[in-house]
PDB file of all heavy atoms in Angstrom:
ATOM      1  N   LEU O 265      95.892  95.209  79.146  1.00 72.00           N
ATOM      2  CA  LEU O 265      94.620  95.890  79.375  1.00 72.00           C
ATOM      3  C   LEU O 265      94.625  97.336  78.887  1.00 72.00           C
ATOM      4  O   LEU O 265      93.561  97.900  78.638  1.00 72.00           O
ATOM      5  CB  LEU O 265      94.277  95.856  80.871  1.00 72.00           C
ATOM      6  CG  LEU O 265      94.090  94.460  81.485  1.00 72.00           C
ATOM      7  CD1 LEU O 265      93.800  94.584  82.975  1.00 72.00           C
ATOM      8  CD2 LEU O 265      92.980  93.693  80.785  1.00 72.00           C
ATOM      9  N   TYR O 270      86.430  97.840  74.056  1.00 89.00           N
ATOM     10  CA  TYR O 270      85.463  96.765  73.816  1.00 89.00           C
ATOM     11  C   TYR O 270      84.160  97.394  73.346  1.00 89.00           C
ATOM     12  O   TYR O 270      83.645  98.338  73.961  1.00 89.00           O
ATOM     13  CB  TYR O 270      85.214  95.958  75.089  1.00 89.00           C
ATOM     14  CG  TYR O 270      86.465  95.307  75.658  1.00 89.00           C
ATOM     15  CD1 TYR O 270      87.289  95.998  76.551  1.00 89.00           C
ATOM     16  CD2 TYR O 270      86.836  94.014  75.291  1.00 89.00           C
ATOM     17  CE1 TYR O 270      88.437  95.418  77.070  1.00 89.00           C
ATOM     18  CE2 TYR O 270      87.986  93.434  75.807  1.00 89.00           C
ATOM     19  CZ  TYR O 270      88.772  94.133  76.686  1.00 89.00           C
ATOM     20  OH  TYR O 270      89.908  93.552  77.206  1.00 89.00           O
ATOM     21  N   LEU O 678      78.367  95.761  79.611  1.00 82.00           N
ATOM     22  CA  LEU O 678      79.238  95.030  78.684  1.00 82.00           C
ATOM     23  C   LEU O 678      79.998  93.928  79.399  1.00 82.00           C
ATOM     24  O   LEU O 678      80.225  92.839  78.839  1.00 82.00           O
ATOM     25  CB  LEU O 678      80.205  96.006  78.009  1.00 82.00           C
ATOM     26  CG  LEU O 678      81.105  95.453  76.890  1.00 82.00           C
ATOM     27  CD1 LEU O 678      80.300  94.665  75.879  1.00 82.00           C
ATOM     28  CD2 LEU O 678      81.834  96.599  76.211  1.00 82.00           C
ATOM     29  N   ARG O 679      80.395  94.173  80.636  1.00 77.00           N
ATOM     30  CA  ARG O 679      81.069  93.136  81.426  1.00 77.00           C
ATOM     31  C   ARG O 679      80.174  91.912  81.591  1.00 77.00           C
ATOM     32  O   ARG O 679      80.636  90.773  81.537  1.00 77.00           O
ATOM     33  CB  ARG O 679      81.451  93.680  82.802  1.00 77.00           C
ATOM     34  CG  ARG O 679      82.786  94.408  82.845  1.00 77.00           C
ATOM     35  CD  ARG O 679      83.048  94.959  84.230  1.00 77.00           C
ATOM     36  NE  ARG O 679      84.398  95.486  84.346  1.00 77.00           N
ATOM     37  CZ  ARG O 679      85.431  94.804  84.795  1.00 77.00           C
ATOM     38  NH1 ARG O 679      85.276  93.545  85.173  1.00 77.00           N
ATOM     39  NH2 ARG O 679      86.627  95.345  84.878  1.00 77.00           N
ATOM     40  N   GLN O 680      78.900  92.134  81.817  1.00 76.00           N
ATOM     41  CA  GLN O 680      77.972  91.018  81.968  1.00 76.00           C
ATOM     42  C   GLN O 680      77.871  90.210  80.679  1.00 76.00           C
ATOM     43  O   GLN O 680      77.792  88.976  80.711  1.00 76.00           O
ATOM     44  CB  GLN O 680      76.593  91.541  82.379  1.00 76.00           C
ATOM     45  CG  GLN O 680      76.549  92.120  83.789  1.00 76.00           C
ATOM     46  CD  GLN O 680      75.183  92.667  84.148  1.00 76.00           C
ATOM     47  OE1 GLN O 680      74.279  92.681  83.319  1.00 76.00           O
ATOM     48  NE2 GLN O 680      75.022  93.124  85.384  1.00 76.00           N
ATOM     49  N   LEU O 682      80.244  89.837  78.608  1.00 73.00           N
ATOM     50  CA  LEU O 682      81.517  89.116  78.476  1.00 73.00           C
ATOM     51  C   LEU O 682      81.766  88.178  79.649  1.00 73.00           C
ATOM     52  O   LEU O 682      82.880  87.702  79.839  1.00 73.00           O
ATOM     53  CB  LEU O 682      82.668  90.120  78.374  1.00 73.00           C
ATOM     54  CG  LEU O 682      82.702  90.970  77.100  1.00 73.00           C
ATOM     55  CD1 LEU O 682      83.765  92.050  77.215  1.00 73.00           C
ATOM     56  CD2 LEU O 682      82.953  90.100  75.889  1.00 73.00           C
ATOM     57  N   SER O 683      80.721  87.944  80.453  1.00 61.00           N
ATOM     58  CA  SER O 683      80.824  87.049  81.619  1.00 61.00           C
ATOM     59  C   SER O 683      81.882  87.518  82.597  1.00 61.00           C
ATOM     60  O   SER O 683      82.698  86.733  83.093  1.00 61.00           O
ATOM     61  CB  SER O 683      81.123  85.611  81.164  1.00 61.00           C
ATOM     62  OG  SER O 683      80.087  85.129  80.356  1.00 61.00           O
ATOM     63  N   GLY O 684      81.885  88.822  82.877  1.00 54.00           N
ATOM     64  CA  GLY O 684      82.750  89.329  83.941  1.00 54.00           C
ATOM     65  C   GLY O 684      84.006  90.018  83.474  1.00 54.00           C
ATOM     66  O   GLY O 684      84.530  90.869  84.152  1.00 54.00           O
ATOM     67  N   SER O 685      84.535  89.641  82.294  1.00 59.00           N
ATOM     68  CA  SER O 685      85.789  90.214  81.822  1.00 59.00           C
ATOM     69  C   SER O 685      86.876  89.982  82.875  1.00 59.00           C
ATOM     70  O   SER O 685      86.767  89.084  83.705  1.00 59.00           O
ATOM     71  CB  SER O 685      85.608  91.700  81.515  1.00 59.00           C
ATOM     72  OG  SER O 685      86.768  92.208  80.905  1.00 59.00           O
ATOM     73  N   THR O 686      87.953  90.771  82.846  1.00 65.00           N
ATOM     74  CA  THR O 686      89.024  90.594  83.825  1.00 65.00           C
ATOM     75  C   THR O 686      89.332  91.922  84.498  1.00 65.00           C
ATOM     76  O   THR O 686      89.105  92.988  83.942  1.00 65.00           O
ATOM     77  CB  THR O 686      90.311  90.053  83.163  1.00 65.00           C
ATOM     78  OG1 THR O 686      90.660  90.890  82.068  1.00 65.00           O
ATOM     79  CG2 THR O 686      90.096  88.641  82.665  1.00 65.00           C
ATOM     80  N   ASP O 687      89.873  91.830  85.718  1.00 68.00           N
ATOM     81  CA  ASP O 687      90.172  93.015  86.512  1.00 68.00           C
ATOM     82  C   ASP O 687      91.676  93.238  86.577  1.00 68.00           C
ATOM     83  O   ASP O 687      92.474  92.412  86.114  1.00 68.00           O
ATOM     84  CB  ASP O 687      89.599  92.853  87.920  1.00 68.00           C
ATOM     85  CG  ASP O 687      88.078  92.769  87.908  1.00 68.00           C
ATOM     86  OD1 ASP O 687      87.455  93.630  87.277  1.00 68.00           O
ATOM     87  OD2 ASP O 687      87.529  91.837  88.519  1.00 68.00           O
ATOM     88  N   ASP O 722      84.114  85.707  89.784  1.00 83.00           N
ATOM     89  CA  ASP O 722      83.255  85.154  88.726  1.00 83.00           C
ATOM     90  C   ASP O 722      84.007  84.197  87.825  1.00 83.00           C
ATOM     91  O   ASP O 722      83.445  83.219  87.325  1.00 83.00           O
ATOM     92  CB  ASP O 722      82.661  86.282  87.882  1.00 83.00           C
ATOM     93  CG  ASP O 722      81.567  87.028  88.618  1.00 83.00           C
ATOM     94  OD1 ASP O 722      81.026  86.472  89.598  1.00 83.00           O
ATOM     95  OD2 ASP O 722      81.264  88.178  88.231  1.00 83.00           O
ATOM     96  N   GLN O 723      85.292  84.471  87.604  1.00 83.00           N
ATOM     97  CA  GLN O 723      86.061  83.605  86.723  1.00 83.00           C
ATOM     98  C   GLN O 723      87.554  83.780  86.989  1.00 83.00           C
ATOM     99  O   GLN O 723      87.988  84.767  87.585  1.00 83.00           O
ATOM    100  CB  GLN O 723      85.765  83.901  85.255  1.00 83.00           C
ATOM    101  CG  GLN O 723      86.232  85.270  84.789  1.00 83.00           C
ATOM    102  CD  GLN O 723      86.176  85.433  83.286  1.00 83.00           C
ATOM    103  OE1 GLN O 723      86.102  84.459  82.546  1.00 83.00           O
ATOM    104  NE2 GLN O 723      86.213  86.669  82.814  1.00 83.00           N
ATOM    105  N   VAL O 725      91.207  83.006  84.679  1.00 86.00           N
ATOM    106  CA  VAL O 725      91.775  82.612  83.389  1.00 86.00           C
ATOM    107  C   VAL O 725      93.219  82.186  83.621  1.00 86.00           C
ATOM    108  O   VAL O 725      94.089  83.008  83.900  1.00 86.00           O
ATOM    109  CB  VAL O 725      91.715  83.776  82.376  1.00 86.00           C
ATOM    110  CG1 VAL O 725      92.263  83.332  81.034  1.00 86.00           C
ATOM    111  CG2 VAL O 725      90.291  84.288  82.239  1.00 86.00           C
ATOM    112  N   LEU O 817      91.916  87.388  86.981  1.00 87.00           N
ATOM    113  CA  LEU O 817      90.679  87.246  87.756  1.00 87.00           C
ATOM    114  C   LEU O 817      89.622  88.163  87.167  1.00 87.00           C
ATOM    115  O   LEU O 817      89.909  89.277  86.752  1.00 87.00           O
ATOM    116  CB  LEU O 817      90.921  87.613  89.225  1.00 87.00           C
ATOM    117  CG  LEU O 817      92.018  86.823  89.946  1.00 87.00           C
ATOM    118  CD1 LEU O 817      92.235  87.382  91.347  1.00 87.00           C
ATOM    119  CD2 LEU O 817      91.661  85.340  90.015  1.00 87.00           C
ATOM    120  N   GLY O 818      88.390  87.706  87.159  1.00 81.00           N
ATOM    121  CA  GLY O 818      87.287  88.496  86.639  1.00 81.00           C
ATOM    122  C   GLY O 818      86.119  88.520  87.606  1.00 81.00           C
ATOM    123  O   GLY O 818      85.822  87.521  88.261  1.00 81.00           O
ATOM    124  N   GLY O 819      85.470  89.672  87.707  1.00 79.00           N
ATOM    125  CA  GLY O 819      84.312  89.792  88.584  1.00 79.00           C
ATOM    126  C   GLY O 819      84.640  89.541  90.043  1.00 79.00           C
ATOM    127  O   GLY O 819      84.010  88.714  90.700  1.00 79.00           O
TER     128      GLY O 819
END
Side-chain angles (χ1 to χ4, degrees):
L265 298 178
Y270 301 88
L678 186 49
R679 274 178 172 266
Q680 291 178 356
L682 293 172
S683 299
S685 187
T686 53
D687 296 310
D722 286 341
Q723 67 169 342
V725 182
L817 303 175

